[in-house]
Amino acid sequence: MSTQIDRLKNTIAPLREALVQHPINSFIQSPAELEVFMQHHVFAVWDFMSLVKKLQQEFTCVELPWNSKGPAEVRYLINEIVLGEESDVDQNGVYISHFELYLRAMEELSFMPSPFLQELRTYASLDELLLAIPKAAIPESVKQFLSFTFSAIKNRTPEEVAAIFTFGREDIIPEMFQVIVDQLKRDAPEKVETLVYYLERHIEVDGGHHSELAYRMMDYLCGDEEEKWARATQAAVESLQVRLKLWDGIVHNR
């Protein structure tokens, strides 16, 4: 790992510690609290895909005629993540995206997602979406989270978007589900089959391999340019700050 990566990680360490110590990690103690969490968090599962696709646009060729673009190592990282997120398999071996898997888990638990989640798919451009988010009937913390993601996708540099992806989106702690999942596995195992599979798959797919490739991507994008590292660091800080606000919104929405 490079010295610059170490410096960036040291800068964001207090924010990551705040996430580790956040009350959200003991919040889910009942089905009602699990429902609140999933109704908020599903938006983060959804917008993560747009973050991934932005990186795919930046670092792989999605135009015709095809030409190689960027280092093969970065292309491999992005394509592998897109494959895993967009076309994984469910517990029965059927192809499905992680977002669709999450929605299925909510359906099994009889948790209804916000109608705005369906509305999001009707917007044809980032401009339309960014105008719609502030007017949506969703919690303020979710609005801030979505606005940050899509403003970054639209306006920020490749190294900033990559930093948001690398340092701001891989800190969901599956253990926060453990108490209620264990309880539901005893009381109604059929209701949490997909949720348990989603969590296990999340841990398996987002392991150290992806993290190491993401660090290499950051080194390639920023190189020895201090300005790029500064922008990337600030983007990582902001992404963790908005994640903390999302967690605050869940805990305060009992």
Side-chain angles (χ1 to χ4, degrees), residues 18-19 30 43 60 99 132 149 212 220-221 230 232 234 245-246:
L19 284 164
S30 72
F43 287 99
T60 74
F99 171 67
T149 299
E212 183 58 36
Y220 165 75
L221 289 173
Q234 181 59 30
K245 290 179 180 178
L246 181 66

Side-chain angles (χ1 to χ4, degrees), residues 94-160:
V94 178
Y95 293 112
I96 190 171
S97 72
H98 284 187
F99 171 67
E100 291 164 320
L101 194 63
Y102 200 89
L103 286 180
R104 183 187 295 175
M106 293 184 72
E107 182 180 357
E108 286 180 359
L109 287 157
S110 300
F111 297 164
M112 292 296 295
S114 164
F116 185 62
L117 196 65
Q118 183 61 36
E119 185 182 335
L120 287 170
R121 306 184 193 190
T122 68
Y123 297 111
S125 70
L126 290 177
D127 289 333
E128 288 182 18
L129 178 58
L130 284 165
L131 286 173
I133 290 169
K135 304 172 187 175
I138 53 177
E140 187 62 32
S141 58
V142 176
K143 292 180 186 180
Q144 292 178 21
F145 193 85
L146 291 174
S147 293
F148 174 79
T149 299
F150 288 102
S151 292
I153 288 171
K154 182 176 185 292
N155 299 314
R156 302 185 82 156
T157 63
E159 63 269 16
E160 289 174 289

Side-chain angles (χ1 to χ4, degrees), residues 49-116:
M49 274 310 308
S50 290
L51 202 59
V52 171
K53 299 301 275 190
K54 173 64 174 178
L55 292 174
Q56 188 179 39
Q57 288 177 346
E58 289 287 344
F59 305 123
T60 74
C61 182
V62 291
E63 292 127 9
L64 297 173
W66 178 87
N67 282 294
S68 60
K69 185 177 181 180
E73 200 169 43
V74 175
R75 297 197 302 266
Y76 174 78
L77 164 68
I78 299 304
N79 286 328
E80 182 178 287
I81 291 172
V82 169
L83 179 65
E85 292 290 336
E86 198 170 34
S87 309
D88 204 0
V89 292
D90 67 11
Q91 57 268 53
N92 299 311
V94 178
Y95 293 112
I96 190 171
S97 72
H98 284 187
F99 171 67
E100 291 164 320
L101 194 63
Y102 200 89
L103 286 180
R104 183 187 295 175
M106 293 184 72
E107 182 180 357
E108 286 180 359
L109 287 157
S110 300
F111 297 164
M112 292 296 295
S114 164
F116 185 62

